[in-house]
Amino acid sequence: MSGKKYLFFDIDGTLAAGGYAATFIPDSTREALKKLREAGHFTCIATGRAEALANPVMHELGFDNMISDGGWGLTIEGKFLGVRPLPKDQVIELIKECKEQGFPWGLQTDNSDTRLVPDGRFEAFTGDSYIKSKIVPDLDPADYENIYKAYIACLTGEEQRLSMLKILPWGRYHHHYLFVEPSDKAGGIREVMEHFHGDLKDVIVFGDTVNDLSMFRDEWTNVAMGNADEELKKHADLVTTDVDKDGIWNACLELNFFS
């Protein structure tokens, strides 16, 4: 491929190895990003993480642009432009259902690394410590102006008892709980491309899990990591090697991005 390309990278399992909340960045990935920028290509993160949780990775790897919060958060040229919240009325109804079903739950009401929970049941059930939990007795979603994510502790399959999940976007990365969060990375990519007046045919996206289906589109090139879910690979134009086996580097070589 020739000419300037616009490359969008998921973080966990794509830029970083180690699964959910991955932290290990292969040296070959760092070198690939360096060479891509030297060749004049545009690089951008596209992650489901909240901006506050993705920001350290963004700075560590030298990115100036980022789509966060599943497509609803935007950072352009180092400036965080904000994130759209979930529909509040729908989240209120969802939490009402969780209480009726006895499912522990939590909310993210700001751009931070902390979720609010009404008691200690969520962390006790899930054992999750990646996101900090702060207990707020009598927590009520109606008391907050914005809700950016909700967390529901229930085993795989039990979510079928929550009718609001037929309306709200959600994803599951663990057997013990699910995330209610935006799933529109393609929408964020289009916003970035419109801002920089780029052509969609020059977009290349890199992902590894089914939530990345939200950015795998026919109008651009889709790259799945070797460690990607099989469902995502079915929609890929190229399947590279695993993230910890030089996957980003090998894809860029195959696509001739370094010359």
Coordinates of all heavy atoms in Angstrom, one line a residue, residues 116-182:
L116 N -18.5 3.4 41.3 CA -19.2 3.5 42.6 C -20.1 2.2 42.7 O -20.7 1.7 41.8 CB -20.1 4.7 42.5 CG -19.4 6.1 42.2 CD1 -20.5 7.2 42.2 CD2 -18.3 6.3 43.1
V117 N -20.1 1.7 43.9 CA -21.0 0.5 44.3 C -21.7 0.8 45.5 O -21.3 1.6 46.4 CB -20.1 -0.7 44.4 CG1 -19.5 -1.1 43.1 CG2 -19.0 -0.5 45.5
P118 N -22.9 0.2 45.7 CA -23.7 0.5 46.9 C -23.2 -0.3 48.1 O -23.6 0.1 49.3 CB -25.1 0.1 46.5 CG -24.9 -1.0 45.4 CD -23.7 -0.5 44.7
D119 N -22.5 -1.3 47.9 CA -22.0 -2.2 49.0 C -20.8 -3.0 48.5 O -20.3 -2.8 47.4 CB -23.1 -3.1 49.5 CG -23.8 -3.8 48.4 OD1 -23.1 -4.4 47.5 OD2 -25.0 -3.8 48.4
G120 N -20.3 -3.9 49.3 CA -19.1 -4.7 48.9 C -19.4 -6.0 48.1 O -18.5 -6.7 47.8
R121 N -20.7 -6.2 47.7 CA -21.0 -7.4 47.0 C -20.4 -7.6 45.6 O -20.0 -8.7 45.2 CB -22.5 -7.6 46.9 CG -23.2 -7.7 48.2 CD -24.7 -8.1 48.0 NE -25.3 -7.1 47.1 CZ -26.2 -7.4 46.1 NH1 -26.6 -8.6 45.9 NH2 -26.8 -6.4 45.4
F122 N -20.2 -6.5 44.9 CA -19.7 -6.6 43.5 C -18.3 -7.1 43.5 O -17.9 -8.1 42.9 CB -19.7 -5.2 42.8 CG -19.3 -5.3 41.4 CD1 -20.2 -5.5 40.4 CD2 -18.0 -5.2 41.0 CE1 -19.8 -5.6 39.0 CE2 -17.5 -5.3 39.7 CZ -18.5 -5.5 38.7
E123 N -17.4 -6.5 44.4 CA -16.0 -6.9 44.4 C -15.9 -8.3 45.0 O -15.1 -9.1 44.6 CB -15.2 -5.9 45.2 CG -13.7 -6.1 44.9 CD -12.9 -4.8 45.3 OE1 -13.4 -3.7 45.1 OE2 -11.8 -5.0 45.7
A124 N -16.7 -8.6 46.0 CA -16.7 -10.0 46.6 C -17.1 -11.1 45.6 O -16.5 -12.1 45.6 CB -17.6 -10.0 47.8
F125 N -18.0 -10.8 44.7 CA -18.5 -11.7 43.8 C -17.5 -11.9 42.6 O -17.3 -13.0 42.1 CB -19.9 -11.3 43.2 CG -20.5 -12.3 42.3 CD1 -21.2 -13.4 42.8 CD2 -20.4 -12.2 40.9 CE1 -21.8 -14.3 41.9 CE2 -21.0 -13.1 40.0 CZ -21.7 -14.1 40.6
T126 N -17.0 -10.8 42.1 CA -16.2 -10.8 40.9 C -14.7 -11.0 41.2 O -13.9 -11.5 40.4 CB -16.3 -9.6 40.1 OG1 -15.8 -8.4 40.8 CG2 -17.8 -9.3 39.8
G127 N -14.2 -10.5 42.4 CA -12.8 -10.5 42.6 C -12.0 -9.5 41.8 O -10.8 -9.5 41.8
D128 N -12.7 -8.6 41.1 CA -12.1 -7.7 40.2 C -11.5 -6.5 41.0 O -12.1 -5.9 41.8 CB -13.1 -7.1 39.2 CG -12.5 -6.1 38.2 OD1 -11.7 -6.5 37.4 OD2 -12.8 -4.9 38.4
S129 N -10.2 -6.2 40.7 CA -9.6 -5.1 41.3 C -8.9 -4.1 40.3 O -8.2 -3.2 40.7 CB -8.5 -5.6 42.3 OG -7.5 -6.4 41.6
Y130 N -9.1 -4.4 39.0 CA -8.5 -3.6 38.0 C -9.1 -2.2 38.1 O -8.3 -1.2 38.1 CB -8.8 -4.2 36.6 CG -8.5 -3.2 35.5 CD1 -7.2 -2.7 35.3 CD2 -9.4 -2.9 34.6 CE1 -6.9 -1.9 34.2 CE2 -9.2 -2.0 33.5 CZ -7.9 -1.5 33.3 OH -7.6 -0.7 32.3
I131 N -10.4 -2.1 38.3 CA -11.0 -0.8 38.5 C -11.3 -0.7 40.0 O -11.9 -1.6 40.6 CB -12.3 -0.6 37.7 CG1 -12.0 -0.8 36.2 CG2 -13.0 0.7 37.9 CD1 -13.2 -0.9 35.3
K132 N -10.9 0.4 40.6 CA -11.2 0.6 42.0 C -12.7 0.7 42.3 O -13.4 1.2 41.4 CB -10.5 1.9 42.5 CG -9.0 1.9 42.3 CD -8.4 3.3 42.7 CE -7.0 3.4 42.3 NZ -6.4 4.8 42.6
S133 N -13.1 0.3 43.4 CA -14.5 0.4 43.8 C -14.6 1.3 45.1 O -13.9 1.1 46.0 CB -15.1 -1.0 44.2 OG -15.2 -1.8 43.0
K134 N -15.6 2.2 45.0 CA -15.8 3.1 46.1 C -17.3 2.8 46.6 O -18.2 3.0 45.8 CB -15.6 4.5 45.7 CG -16.0 5.5 46.9 CD -15.8 6.9 46.4 CE -16.2 7.9 47.5 NZ -16.1 9.4 47.0
I135 N -17.5 2.5 47.8 CA -18.8 2.2 48.3 C -19.5 3.5 48.7 O -19.0 4.4 49.4 CB -18.7 1.3 49.6 CG1 -18.2 -0.1 49.2 CG2 -20.1 1.2 50.2 CD1 -18.0 -1.0 50.4
V136 N -20.7 3.7 48.1 CA -21.6 4.8 48.3 C -22.9 4.3 48.8 O -23.7 3.8 48.0 CB -21.8 5.7 47.1 CG1 -22.7 6.8 47.4 CG2 -20.5 6.2 46.5
P137 N -23.1 4.3 50.1 CA -24.4 3.7 50.7 C -25.6 4.4 50.0 O -25.6 5.6 49.7 CB -24.3 4.1 52.1 CG -22.8 4.2 52.4 CD -22.2 4.8 51.2
D138 N -26.6 3.6 49.7 CA -27.8 4.1 49.1 C -27.6 4.7 47.7 O -28.2 5.6 47.3 CB -28.5 5.1 50.0 CG -28.9 4.5 51.3 OD1 -29.4 3.4 51.3 OD2 -28.7 5.2 52.3
L139 N -26.6 4.2 47.0 CA -26.2 4.7 45.7 C -27.4 4.6 44.7 O -28.1 3.6 44.7 CB -25.1 3.8 45.1 CG -24.6 4.1 43.6 CD1 -24.0 5.5 43.6 CD2 -23.6 3.1 43.2
D140 N -27.7 5.7 44.1 CA -28.9 5.8 43.2 C -28.4 6.5 41.9 O -27.9 7.6 41.9 CB -29.9 6.6 43.8 CG -31.2 6.7 43.0 OD1 -31.2 6.3 41.8 OD2 -32.3 7.1 43.6
P141 N -28.5 5.8 40.7 CA -28.1 6.4 39.4 C -28.9 7.7 39.1 O -28.3 8.5 38.4 CB -28.4 5.3 38.4 CG -29.4 4.4 39.1 CD -29.1 4.4 40.5
A142 N -30.0 7.9 39.7 CA -30.8 9.1 39.4 C -30.2 10.3 40.0 O -30.5 11.4 39.6 CB -32.2 8.9 39.9
D143 N -29.2 10.1 40.9 CA -28.6 11.2 41.6 C -27.4 11.8 40.8 O -26.9 12.9 41.2 CB -28.1 10.8 43.0 CG -29.2 10.5 44.0 OD1 -30.3 10.9 43.7 OD2 -28.9 9.7 44.9
Y144 N -27.1 11.2 39.7 CA -25.9 11.6 39.0 C -26.3 12.2 37.6 O -27.2 11.6 36.9 CB -24.9 10.5 38.8 CG -24.4 10.1 40.2 CD1 -25.1 9.1 40.9 CD2 -23.2 10.6 40.7 CE1 -24.6 8.7 42.2 CE2 -22.7 10.2 41.9 CZ -23.4 9.3 42.7 OH -23.0 9.0 43.9
E145 N -25.6 13.2 37.2 CA -26.0 13.9 35.9 C -25.6 12.9 34.7 O -26.4 12.8 33.8 CB -25.2 15.2 35.8 CG -25.5 15.9 34.5 CD -24.7 17.2 34.3 OE1 -24.0 17.6 35.3 OE2 -24.9 17.9 33.3
N146 N -24.4 12.3 34.8 CA -24.0 11.5 33.7 C -23.6 10.1 34.2 O -23.0 10.0 35.3 CB -22.8 12.1 33.0 CG -23.2 13.4 32.3 OD1 -24.2 13.4 31.6 ND2 -22.4 14.4 32.4
I147 N -23.8 9.1 33.4 CA -23.4 7.7 33.7 C -22.7 7.2 32.5 O -23.3 7.2 31.4 CB -24.6 6.8 34.1 CG1 -25.3 7.3 35.3 CG2 -24.0 5.4 34.3 CD1 -26.6 6.6 35.6
Y148 N -21.4 6.8 32.6 CA -20.6 6.5 31.4 C -20.5 5.0 31.3 O -20.4 4.5 30.1 CB -19.2 7.1 31.6 CG -19.3 8.6 31.6 CD1 -19.2 9.3 32.8 CD2 -19.5 9.3 30.4 CE1 -19.3 10.7 32.8 CE2 -19.6 10.7 30.4 CZ -19.5 11.4 31.6 OH -19.6 12.8 31.6
K149 N -20.5 4.2 32.3 CA -20.5 2.8 32.3 C -21.3 2.2 33.5 O -21.4 2.8 34.5 CB -19.1 2.2 32.3 CG -18.2 2.5 31.1 CD -16.8 2.0 31.4 CE -15.8 2.4 30.3 NZ -15.9 1.7 29.1
A150 N -21.8 1.0 33.3 CA -22.4 0.3 34.4 C -21.8 -1.1 34.4 O -21.4 -1.7 33.4 CB -23.9 0.2 34.3
Y151 N -21.7 -1.7 35.6 CA -21.1 -3.0 35.7 C -22.1 -3.9 36.4 O -22.6 -3.6 37.5 CB -19.8 -2.9 36.6 CG -18.8 -1.9 36.0 CD1 -18.9 -0.6 36.4 CD2 -17.8 -2.3 35.1 CE1 -18.0 0.4 35.9 CE2 -16.9 -1.4 34.6 CZ -17.0 0.0 35.0 OH -16.1 0.9 34.6
I152 N -22.4 -5.1 35.9 CA -23.3 -6.0 36.4 C -22.7 -7.3 36.7 O -22.1 -8.0 35.8 CB -24.5 -6.3 35.4 CG1 -25.0 -4.9 34.8 CG2 -25.6 -7.1 36.1 CD1 -25.5 -4.0 35.9
A153 N -22.7 -7.8 38.0 CA -22.1 -9.0 38.4 C -23.2 -10.1 38.2 O -24.1 -10.2 39.0 CB -21.7 -9.0 39.8
C154 N -22.9 -10.9 37.2 CA -23.8 -12.1 36.9 C -23.0 -13.1 36.1 O -22.2 -12.7 35.3 CB -25.1 -11.7 36.3 SG -24.9 -10.9 34.6
L155 N -23.3 -14.3 36.2 CA -22.6 -15.4 35.4 C -23.0 -15.4 34.0 O -24.1 -14.9 33.7 CB -22.8 -16.7 36.1 CG -22.3 -16.9 37.5 CD1 -22.6 -18.3 38.0 CD2 -20.9 -16.6 37.7
T156 N -22.2 -15.9 33.1 CA -22.5 -16.0 31.7 C -23.9 -16.7 31.5 O -24.1 -17.8 32.0 CB -21.4 -16.8 31.0 OG1 -20.2 -16.2 31.2 CG2 -21.7 -16.8 29.5
G157 N -24.8 -16.0 30.8 CA -26.1 -16.5 30.5 C -27.2 -15.9 31.4 O -28.3 -15.8 31.0
E158 N -26.8 -15.5 32.6 CA -27.8 -14.9 33.5 C -28.2 -13.5 33.1 O -29.3 -13.1 33.5 CB -27.2 -14.8 34.9 CG -27.0 -16.1 35.6 CD -26.4 -16.0 37.0 OE1 -25.8 -15.0 37.3 OE2 -26.7 -16.9 37.8
E159 N -27.4 -12.9 32.2 CA -27.8 -11.6 31.7 C -29.2 -11.6 30.9 O -29.8 -10.6 30.7 CB -26.7 -11.0 30.8 CG -26.5 -11.7 29.5 CD -25.5 -12.8 29.6 OE1 -25.0 -13.1 30.7 OE2 -25.2 -13.5 28.6
Q160 N -29.6 -12.8 30.5 CA -30.8 -12.9 29.8 C -32.0 -12.5 30.6 O -33.1 -12.3 30.1 CB -31.0 -14.4 29.3 CG -29.9 -14.8 28.3 CD -30.0 -16.3 27.9 OE1 -31.0 -16.9 28.2 NE2 -29.0 -16.8 27.3
R161 N -31.8 -12.5 31.9 CA -32.9 -12.1 32.8 C -33.0 -10.5 32.9 O -33.9 -10.0 33.6 CB -32.6 -12.6 34.2 CG -32.8 -14.1 34.2 CD -31.9 -14.8 35.3 NE -32.2 -14.3 36.7 CZ -31.5 -14.6 37.8 NH1 -30.5 -15.6 37.6 NH2 -31.8 -14.1 38.9
L162 N -32.2 -9.8 32.2 CA -32.2 -8.3 32.2 C -32.7 -7.8 30.9 O -32.0 -7.8 29.9 CB -30.8 -7.8 32.6 CG -30.3 -8.2 33.9 CD1 -28.8 -7.8 34.0 CD2 -31.1 -7.6 35.1
S163 N -34.0 -7.4 30.8 CA -34.6 -7.0 29.5 C -33.9 -5.7 29.0 O -33.9 -5.5 27.8 CB -36.1 -6.8 29.7 OG -36.3 -5.7 30.6
M164 N -33.4 -4.8 29.9 CA -32.8 -3.6 29.4 C -31.5 -3.8 28.6 O -31.1 -3.0 27.8 CB -32.5 -2.6 30.5 CG -33.8 -2.1 31.2 SD -34.9 -1.2 30.0 CE -33.8 0.1 29.4
L165 N -30.9 -5.0 28.7 CA -29.7 -5.3 27.9 C -30.1 -5.6 26.5 O -29.2 -5.7 25.6 CB -29.0 -6.5 28.5 CG -28.3 -6.2 29.9 CD1 -27.5 -7.5 30.3 CD2 -27.4 -5.0 29.8
K166 N -31.3 -5.7 26.1 CA -31.7 -5.7 24.7 C -31.7 -4.4 24.1 O -31.8 -4.3 22.8 CB -33.2 -6.3 24.6 CG -33.3 -7.8 25.1 CD -34.7 -8.3 25.1 CE -34.8 -9.7 25.6 NZ -36.2 -10.2 25.6
I167 N -31.6 -3.3 24.9 CA -31.6 -1.9 24.4 C -30.2 -1.3 24.6 O -29.7 -0.6 23.6 CB -32.7 -1.1 25.2 CG1 -34.0 -1.7 25.0 CG2 -32.6 0.3 24.7 CD1 -35.1 -1.1 25.9
L168 N -29.6 -1.5 25.7 CA -28.3 -0.9 26.0 C -27.2 -1.7 25.4 O -27.2 -2.9 25.3 CB -28.1 -0.8 27.5 CG -29.0 0.3 28.2 CD1 -29.1 0.0 29.7 CD2 -28.3 1.7 28.0
P169 N -26.1 -1.0 25.0 CA -24.9 -1.7 24.5 C -24.1 -2.3 25.7 O -24.0 -1.7 26.7 CB -24.1 -0.6 23.8 CG -24.4 0.6 24.6 CD -25.9 0.5 24.9
W170 N -23.7 -3.6 25.5 CA -22.9 -4.2 26.6 C -22.0 -5.3 26.0 O -22.1 -5.7 24.9 CB -23.9 -4.9 27.6 CG -24.7 -6.0 27.1 CD1 -25.9 -5.8 26.4 CD2 -24.5 -7.4 27.1 NE1 -26.4 -7.1 26.0 CE2 -25.5 -8.0 26.5 CE3 -23.4 -8.1 27.7 CZ2 -25.6 -9.4 26.4 CZ3 -23.5 -9.5 27.6 CH2 -24.6 -10.2 26.9
G171 N -21.0 -5.7 26.8 CA -20.1 -6.7 26.4 C -19.6 -7.5 27.6 O -19.7 -7.0 28.8
R172 N -19.1 -8.7 27.4 CA -18.7 -9.5 28.5 C -17.2 -10.0 28.2 O -17.0 -10.5 27.1 CB -19.6 -10.7 28.7 CG -19.1 -11.6 29.8 CD -20.0 -12.9 29.9 NE -21.3 -12.6 30.5 CZ -21.6 -12.5 31.8 NH1 -20.6 -12.7 32.7 NH2 -22.8 -12.3 32.2
Y173 N -16.3 -9.7 29.1 CA -14.9 -10.1 29.0 C -14.6 -11.1 30.1 O -13.5 -11.6 30.2 CB -14.0 -8.9 29.0 CG -14.5 -7.8 28.1 CD1 -15.0 -6.7 28.7 CD2 -14.4 -7.9 26.7 CE1 -15.5 -5.7 27.9 CE2 -14.8 -6.9 25.9 CZ -15.4 -5.8 26.5 OH -15.9 -4.8 25.7
H174 N -15.5 -11.3 31.1 CA -15.3 -12.2 32.2 C -16.6 -13.0 32.4 O -17.7 -12.6 32.1 CB -15.0 -11.4 33.5 CG -14.0 -10.3 33.3 ND1 -12.6 -10.6 33.3 CD2 -14.1 -9.0 33.1 CE1 -12.0 -9.5 33.1 NE2 -12.8 -8.5 33.0
H175 N -16.4 -14.2 33.0 CA -17.5 -15.1 33.3 C -18.4 -14.5 34.4 O -19.6 -14.7 34.5 CB -17.0 -16.5 33.8 CG -18.0 -17.4 34.2 ND1 -19.1 -17.8 33.4 CD2 -18.2 -18.1 35.3 CE1 -19.8 -18.7 34.0 NE2 -19.3 -18.9 35.2
H176 N -17.8 -13.7 35.3 CA -18.5 -13.2 36.5 C -19.2 -11.9 36.4 O -20.0 -11.5 37.2 CB -17.5 -13.2 37.7 CG -17.1 -14.5 38.2 ND1 -16.1 -15.2 37.6 CD2 -17.7 -15.3 39.2 CE1 -16.0 -16.4 38.3 NE2 -16.9 -16.5 39.2
Y177 N -18.9 -11.1 35.4 CA -19.6 -9.8 35.2 C -19.5 -9.3 33.8 O -18.6 -9.7 33.0 CB -19.1 -8.8 36.3 CG -17.7 -8.1 36.0 CD1 -17.6 -6.9 35.5 CD2 -16.5 -8.8 36.4 CE1 -16.4 -6.3 35.3 CE2 -15.3 -8.2 36.2 CZ -15.2 -6.9 35.7 OH -14.0 -6.3 35.5
L178 N -20.3 -8.3 33.5 CA -20.4 -7.7 32.2 C -20.3 -6.2 32.3 O -20.5 -5.6 33.4 CB -21.6 -8.1 31.5 CG -23.0 -7.8 32.1 CD1 -23.5 -6.4 31.7 CD2 -24.0 -8.8 31.6
F179 N -19.9 -5.5 31.2 CA -19.8 -4.1 31.1 C -21.0 -3.6 30.3 O -21.3 -4.1 29.2 CB -18.6 -3.7 30.4 CG -17.3 -3.9 31.1 CD1 -16.9 -5.2 31.3 CD2 -16.5 -2.9 31.5 CE1 -15.6 -5.5 31.9 CE2 -15.3 -3.1 32.1 CZ -14.9 -4.4 32.3
V180 N -21.7 -2.5 30.8 CA -22.6 -1.8 30.0 C -21.9 -0.6 29.5 O -21.6 0.3 30.3 CB -23.9 -1.4 30.8 CG1 -24.9 -0.6 29.9 CG2 -24.6 -2.7 31.3
E181 N -21.6 -0.5 28.2 CA -20.7 0.6 27.7 C -20.9 0.7 26.2 O -21.4 -0.2 25.6 CB -19.2 0.3 28.0 CG -18.7 -1.0 27.3 CD -17.3 -1.3 27.7 OE1 -16.7 -0.6 28.5 OE2 -16.7 -2.2 27.1
P182 N -20.6 1.9 25.7 CA -20.8 2.1 24.2 C -20.0 1.0 23.4 O -19.0 0.5 23.9 CB -20.2 3.5 24.0 CG -20.3 4.1 25.3 CD -20.0 3.1 26.3

